[in-house]
Amino acid sequence: MEQHFKQLSSSDPKIVSQGIAEIALKLKSKVSEENMALMFDALSSLFYIDTFDRPDLRGVRDQAQKVIAQMGPRAIPLIMSRLEHTDLKAELVLAQTCGMMGEVAIEPLLKAYHDRPEAVSRSFALYAFGKIRSPKIIAVLPTVLRAVKSPSRELEDTAVRALGKICESINPVDIDAEVIDDIFYSLIKKLTNPNDVIRSKAVRSLGKLVRFGFTDRTQKEHLRSQINDILGLNEEHHWDYAYLVRREAQEVINYLD
C-alpha cells in the first residue's frame, strides 16, 4: 500500500491531511481509471467518520470531499456504485460533493438517473441536482417534474424538495409559462399529501417560486388561499395538524405580503 493511503488510516488529523494532500497532488497528473477508483475509495472512507465523536477530524473529511469534487465527472460513476453499500451520513456528503463539482456534474448525474432505475440511485441523483448551483441545471427540470409525479414516495419526496432548490439557480424567463404552471400546480397538489414531510417540502418549494419570481398574481392569490387553509386563517378555522407544515407556511406568508 502506498504511503499516502496508509496516512489516511491514521487517527492523527495532521497525518491524514498529509495523505489527502499527496493524493490531490497526484490527481494533477494523468491518473488511470484503476488508480482513480483506489483514490476515491480511500478518500470516501473518511465520509464515514462520526464528527460528533471526532470533531478534530471534521477538517480532513471536508478536505477529502474537496479533492473528490476536483475529480469531476469521472467520480460520478464511482459515487453511484457506492450507494448500495453506504449509510445516510456518507450519502449526504457524497451528494454535497456532486454539488461542489458544479455544472460538470449535471450530464453524468442525469445519465446515471436514466441508466439506474433503482430508487436509491434516482433519489440520490435528485438530491444532488438540488445541490448544484448553476443556471444549466435547467436541463434536469423535465426529469425532476416527472419524479414529482412518481408513485414512489422516495422519489416524490426528494423531487419536491429539488424543484424548489433548482428554482434558486435558474431564471424564470428561461422557462415557458406552461412549464411554470406545471411546476406550480404539481406542488400545489402535494399540499394534500398524507405525508407531513412531503407537504412541508411542497410549501417550502412554493415559497421559493414566489421569492425567485416564478409566480404571477393569480398564482400568488391561489397560494395565499392555500396557505391560509394550512394556518387556519380561513372561515372554517381548520389548520394543518402538522406543526412542520404550518411552520413552513408561516414563512411563505412573509413572501406573499
Side-chain angles (χ1 to χ4, degrees):
M1 184 184 292
E2 293 190 47
Q3 182 63 26
H4 49 265
F5 288 146
K6 291 180 180 179
Q7 289 174 311
L8 264 59
S9 64
S10 172
S11 60
D12 185 338
K14 291 184 180 178
I15 294 176
V16 177
S17 181
Q18 290 170 4
I20 297 171
E22 283 295 320
I23 292 175
L25 189 61
K26 287 181 177 296
L27 283 169
K28 291 184 178 179
S29 58
K30 189 174 182 180
V31 177
S32 68
E33 294 301 322
E34 181 182 2
N35 284 334
M36 178 74 75
L38 290 172
M39 291 175 179
F40 171 82
D41 188 50
L43 291 169
S44 63
S45 70
L46 298 172
F47 294 173
Y48 296 88
I49 293 172
D50 188 338
T51 55
F52 182 81
D53 290 339
R54 291 295 307 269
D56 57 320
L57 292 176
R58 185 186 300 275
V60 296
R61 187 202 64 183
D62 294 347
Q63 183 184 0
Q65 185 180 26
K66 290 177 183 176
V67 175
I68 290 180
Q70 289 167 9
M71 292 179 176
R74 293 177 72 187
I76 300 291
L78 299 172
I79 290 172
M80 299 304 294
S81 67
R82 180 60 57 86
L83 297 180
E84 293 286 348
H85 310 286
T86 191
D87 62 17
L88 180 60
K89 176 173 73 269
E91 189 174 331
L92 292 175
V93 179
L94 287 168
Q96 292 166 356
T97 305
C98 291
M100 291 168 65
M101 293 180 193
E103 62 188 43
V104 297
I106 296 173
E107 186 175 339
L109 277 173
L110 199 53
K111 183 178 186 303
Y113 182 94
H114 293 298
D115 289 350
R116 293 174 173 265
E118 63 273 14
V120 63
S121 296
R122 289 191 163 182
S123 181
F124 175 86
L126 290 167
Y127 186 79
F129 289 149
K131 294 293 182 183
I132 298 172
R133 300 288 186 173
S134 167
K136 292 186 178 180
I137 198 66
I138 194 172
V140 310
L141 203 49
T143 298
V144 177
L145 261 174
R146 284 193 296 272
V148 166
K149 303 165 187 176
S150 169
S152 164
R153 180 190 170 280
E154 190 175 357
L155 294 189
E156 176 189 24
D157 177 291
T158 313
V160 166
R161 175 192 178 278
L163 262 187
K165 297 293 291 182
I166 288 168
C167 287
E168 293 181 26
S169 298
I170 59 181
N171 192 323
V173 301
D174 294 331
I175 308 176
D176 293 340
E178 293 80 5
V179 177
I180 294 178
D181 268 352
D182 195 6
I183 294 171
F184 180 81
Y185 289 106
S186 293
L187 291 172
I188 287 289
K189 288 178 182 177
K190 301 303 175 184
L191 300 182
T192 57
N193 192 287
N195 185 281
D196 303 357
V197 176
I198 290 177
R199 293 200 309 279
S200 70
K201 289 180 179 179
V203 173
R204 183 183 302 179
S205 289
L206 284 162
K208 288 180 179 180
L209 293 185
V210 176
R211 285 175 60 195
F212 293 95
F214 286 84
T215 48
D216 58 27
R217 181 177 300 178
T218 300
Q219 290 165 339
K220 286 179 181 177
E221 289 308 309
H222 184 68
L223 179 56
R224 187 189 301 276
S225 174
Q226 296 289 319
I227 295 299
N228 285 343
D229 287 347
I230 290 171
L231 295 174
L233 301 177
N234 49 30
E235 292 181 1
E236 295 81 11
H237 301 293
H238 295 155
W239 62 7
D240 191 296
Y241 65 85
Y243 180 80
L244 176 65
V245 181
R246 300 199 306 275
R247 180 180 177 276
E248 294 291 348
Q250 188 60 57
E251 185 170 345
V252 174
I253 282 285
N254 299 328
Y255 306 140
L256 290 169
D257 291 338

